[in-house]
Amino acid sequence: MASTRSSQDSSPAATNGNKRAAETSASLPPTKRGRGRPKKVQKTLEESGGVEDTVKDKNIEDDAEVAKQFEQNTSSATPAKRGRGRPKKVQNTAKDTNGSAVRNLDDVDIEGDEAIAKQIKNAIGANAEKNAFDDVKADTDNVKKVAAEEQEALSKDIDNNNNSVIKDDKREAAIPSSILEKGIIYFFFRGRVGIEEPQGIEDIARSYIVLRPLPLGAKLGEGPLEDSGNARLLVLPKKMLPKSRQDRFLVFVERPSSTIEDLREQFASNEYATKTSCTSHTPSATPFAEGIYAMTSTGRESHLAYHLTVPASIGEIQKELGLNGKGSFVVSAKNPNAPGPANATLDNPASYPEEIQKKFRNLRWMPLEPELLNYQNTQFLIIGEGMGEMDKAVEEMSKDAKDDEKEKPVEELEKLQEEDHDRVEHLKGDDPVFADLGLSSKEYSKMQTTW
């Protein structure tokens, strides 16, 4: 009876099983058939001597189940991209207790890696910027230390020299009344940030004029000019001087009554850290001319006349920046209380005492006077006049022409230029400006005539 029931139960299964087994056999490689089935079960059934059909039915059912699992694993197990060095994941996708899909573990790892990488990059960037700045700062500090020692020695030479300016009463009596002020003049330029050696005016950030007044009756002696603390630093935003009578540029006083040390600090190079390029370098100012000057008056106008001592012959730099061997400009002071265009007005204009302010008489301009240059942010206009000549700046006033004791303005300037020539010829070092201003060759560029 048991045998009959077994034959009846297994008969339909055998039919279906044969069909599914055939499909499985066709779709799966023979070598993989039954992979994962315990051999012990198969051996036990064969050795038991049971009904052959029963064993066959059991094997067919197991084969179908294995095939089904194999197909599911083959269709769903697509290779996942893994990062180099990361351990292989046991599961690509998991489910939480509610049966909802949990976030892919690879995504979690990738986001975590990106965050860590970002932190590392920021840390490395900050350290690199700090280290680069520290290295540059250390090198700069070493150079500045050597330069400071050299400049200290030069300063001692200046302080110990009492023969650079000699008072002469006879000469003072002979000074023409048209000469309001006389002295030594220097011209500098500074390259743009990061440009150590400018190749043209487009590489220049600013140009400067330094005026060092002398007593009207004094004559020049020997050695570097003594530091009287009355140097004036003027800035030319246009970067060059007028090259024709049609050119007119504004100039302003940045530092009145400056010492040699003040000028050194103003002209020194500078290193500072930035977020983009780690460090930026502002080059030191470079001298491009030295000579003598005089501020004169012809009644209705004031003039600034100059005569260069060095370089002996002007080069392309001097020409491009508007200098000749000698020349002159008409100079007019701007009334700080008068309105003007925004691009020609300083945020903090000069503030004059009432007695000086009254001289403007509510006019926008007045002839420049030396005392106005003693106030910070004084603005004045320079207009091209003598190109290669001092022109009207050295015209003799009628009252002086009648006085035999008075020299002509041009004679006084020629005498002053000869004295300056003899003085700088005997200065120590290759550059007379360095000796005069106590500048170190380790910190500042020497005078140039070509780019």
Side-chain angles (χ1 to χ4, degrees):
M1 193 72 171
S3 177
T4 305
R5 187 180 299 116
S6 175
S7 300
Q8 291 174 351
D9 293 340
S10 61
S11 188
T15 305
N16 295 334
N18 289 335
K19 183 178 180 180
R20 287 156 62 186
E23 293 174 354
T24 304
S25 301
S27 60
L28 296 176
T31 56
K32 294 186 179 180
R33 185 173 184 269
R35 178 180 292 179
R37 292 205 312 273
K39 292 183 179 181
K40 184 178 180 180
V41 175
Q42 184 175 0
K43 183 178 179 181
T44 304
L45 290 173
E46 290 174 351
E47 292 176 351
S48 63
V51 182
E52 184 178 352
D53 290 342
T54 304
V55 174
K56 186 177 181 179
D57 289 349
K58 181 68 176 176
N59 288 340
I60 291 172
E61 288 177 1
D62 288 345
D63 288 346
E65 184 63 26
V66 170
K68 183 177 179 181
Q69 294 177 5
F70 186 85
E71 289 173 355
Q72 289 175 350
N73 290 338
T74 304
S75 61
S76 62
T78 55
K81 294 182 180 179
R82 304 181 188 280
R84 179 177 297 176
R86 287 216 302 271
K88 189 175 182 180
K89 305 297 183 299
V90 177
Q91 290 181 329
N92 287 333
T93 306
K95 290 188 178 182
D96 61 13
T97 54
N98 295 327
S100 59
V102 178
R103 194 176 184 181
N104 191 289
L105 296 178
D106 281 348
D107 294 340
V108 175
D109 290 340
I110 290 171
E111 290 182 1
D113 288 350
E114 290 177 348
I116 293 171
K118 185 176 181 181
Q119 293 174 4
I120 294 173
K121 183 179 180 181
N122 291 339
I124 292 174
N127 289 335
E129 181 177 331
K130 183 177 182 298
N131 292 337
F133 177 66
D134 289 343
D135 291 342
V136 172
K137 187 176 184 299
D139 293 340
T140 303
D141 289 345
N142 290 335
V143 172
K144 288 185 177 295
K145 182 180 179 181
V146 175
E149 293 173 354
E150 185 178 342
Q151 287 171 170
E152 185 177 354
L154 291 171
S155 296
K156 289 181 179 179
D157 291 342
I158 294 173
D159 294 339
N160 295 331
N161 182 29
N162 299 319
N163 300 318
S164 60
V165 179
I166 303 171
K167 187 177 180 181
D168 189 330
D169 294 336
K170 184 178 179 180
R171 185 165 177 171
E172 185 173 0
I175 287 290
S177 58
S178 62
I179 295 181
L180 306 177
E181 180 178 286
K182 71 177 186 181
I184 305 298
I185 188 169
Y186 310 87
F187 299 88
F188 288 81
F189 67 79
R190 188 195 296 275
R192 294 184 182 276
V193 173
I195 301 179
E196 194 68 37
E197 297 181 359
Q199 300 301 309
I201 195 170
E202 64 277 0
D203 292 337
I204 292 178
R206 271 187 175 182
S207 294
Y208 304 90
I209 297 174
V210 176
L211 301 178
R212 299 185 69 184
L214 299 171
L216 282 177
K219 66 179 181 180
L220 291 173
E222 299 176 350
L225 204 62
E226 65 184 47
D227 185 8
S228 301
N230 62 347
R232 307 188 188 103
L233 178 62
L234 315 178
V235 178
L236 288 77
K238 194 69 176 178
K239 301 185 290 189
M240 65 179 182
L241 295 155
K243 296 180 180 180
S244 70
R245 295 178 185 271
Q246 286 71 43
D247 289 340
R248 49 187 66 201
F249 305 141
L250 272 175
V251 179
F252 68 90
V253 178
E254 183 161 302
R255 283 196 176 189
S257 305
S258 298
T259 63
I260 297 299
E261 187 176 354
D262 293 334
L263 296 176
R264 284 184 200 147
E265 292 176 357
Q266 181 70 28
F267 290 151
S269 60
N270 186 30
E271 302 281 351
Y272 57 93
T274 66
K275 291 184 178 180
T276 55
S277 59
C278 293
T279 60
S280 285
H281 175 70
T282 300
S284 59
T286 301
F288 65 97
E290 183 271 352
I292 59 99
Y293 80 94
M295 192 178 302
T296 66
S297 174
T298 54
R300 298 184 60 181
E301 291 179 336
S302 291
H303 306 262
L304 179 64
Y306 69 89
H307 194 306
L308 298 184
T309 304
V310 288
S313 299
I314 63 171
E316 61 175 332
I317 290 180
Q318 287 74 27
K319 291 178 181 178
E320 190 168 355
L321 297 179
L323 276 182
N324 294 282
K326 54 185 175 181
S328 65
F329 310 99
V330 176
V331 284
S332 299
K334 185 179 182 295
N335 186 346
N337 295 336
N343 62 350
T345 303
L346 296 175
D347 293 335
N348 299 307
S351 178
Y352 302 128
E354 186 177 355
E355 60 272 17
I356 294 179
Q357 186 62 46
K358 285 181 178 180
K359 293 183 178 181
F360 284 96
R361 295 178 298 157
N362 295 324
L363 300 175
R364 293 184 63 187
W365 304 93
M366 65 169 280
L368 183 64
E369 297 180 0
E371 62 181 343
L372 295 175
L373 300 179
N374 296 329
Y375 295 88
Q376 188 175 18
N377 291 337
T378 286
Q379 286 182 284
F380 62 95
L381 197 67
I382 54 174
I383 305 170
E385 185 182 46
M387 307 300 158
E389 296 294 335
M390 289 184 275
D391 206 52
K392 294 182 179 180
V394 290
E395 283 185 355
E396 187 178 26
M397 298 187 75
S398 56
K399 63 179 180 179
D400 291 341
K402 300 175 183 178
D403 191 342
D404 295 336
E405 294 184 359
K406 297 290 185 183
E407 288 189 347
K408 294 181 179 180
V410 67
E411 292 174 346
E412 171 60 26
L413 292 185
E414 287 175 352
K415 190 183 296 185
L416 187 64
Q417 198 277 331
E418 289 175 4
E419 294 169 353
D420 189 48
H421 178 271
D422 293 341
R423 182 184 71 89
V424 300
E425 223 176 27
H426 297 91
L427 288 176
K428 294 180 181 179
D430 299 329
D431 197 324
V433 177
F434 282 22
D436 254 0
L437 300 180
L439 304 180
S440 168
S441 58
K442 304 290 189 300
E443 173 72 18
Y444 303 90
S445 299
K446 294 183 179 181
M447 185 178 295
Q448 302 176 9
T449 56
T450 57
W451 298 114

